[in-house]
Amino acid sequence: MDSVQNWSKKELVAYILFYAANSNLSETNKERNVILSKVDMNTYQMVYDEFKNDNDYQCIQKIVKGLETHDYSKSDLKQLFLDMKILFFADGEFDQVEHVVFNWLKRIINDAA
């Protein structure tokens, strides 16, 4: 994949959702389906390949850089947070780890955007 600055908003959203889905170290089929509802299969695979090769630090750096690159409106951020909540609830529960990661990502995203 190209550098983060060249990612589309959809690619960035998919990357953030992959990060969120893996926050409790188990990504379910339902969570994958949520991500697939946001992007086409080709984009999904490209972003997944990028994500699986990154460590936690690299993920956060890419998320922050991607958010700085795109001009997110309050409406865009509201939709992103909604997408994250939908993903977290996709498997039927919003566990404590997911809740902590959601709040942490929300803070990082608000600071970067």
Side-chain angles (χ1 to χ4, degrees):
M1 238 171 119
D2 295 330
S3 71
V4 177
Q5 291 92 343
N6 295 328
W7 287 1
S8 69
K9 279 189 175 182
K10 284 190 175 202
E11 290 167 332
L12 178 59
V13 167
Y15 193 87
I16 292 169
L17 292 177
F18 274 119
Y19 185 82
N22 285 276
S23 65
N24 63 353
L25 306 177
S26 66
E27 179 183 319
T28 67
N29 282 333
K30 290 178 182 178
E31 291 169 332
R32 286 185 203 106
N33 288 338
V34 170
I35 298 169
L36 278 168
S37 74
K38 302 295 173 191
V39 296
D40 61 85
M41 183 55 90
N42 187 40
T43 302
Y44 176 96
Q45 193 60 55
M46 281 189 329
V47 174
Y48 178 75
D49 290 344
E50 177 89 11
F51 173 79
K52 74 178 182 177
N53 290 317
D54 293 341
N55 62 38
D56 195 55
Y57 177 79
Q58 291 169 317
C59 289
I60 295 303
Q61 293 303 308
K62 288 180 179 184
I63 290 169
V64 168
K65 190 66 164 173
L67 289 164
E68 290 171 349
T69 301
H70 293 288
D71 185 27
Y72 271 80
S73 67
K74 287 187 186 257
S75 176
D76 291 334
L77 291 176
K78 187 176 181 179
Q79 183 60 51
L80 178 58
F81 297 141
L82 179 61
D83 291 342
M84 289 168 48
K85 280 187 175 180
I86 290 169
L87 178 105
F88 282 129
F89 281 108
D91 60 2
E93 63 179 298
F94 188 28
D95 68 36
Q96 195 170 11
V97 172
E98 290 172 328
H99 188 74
V100 168
V101 170
F102 174 73
N103 286 331
W104 186 65
L105 274 172
K106 195 172 175 182
R107 184 172 157 200
I108 289 171
I109 290 167
N110 280 324
D111 289 348

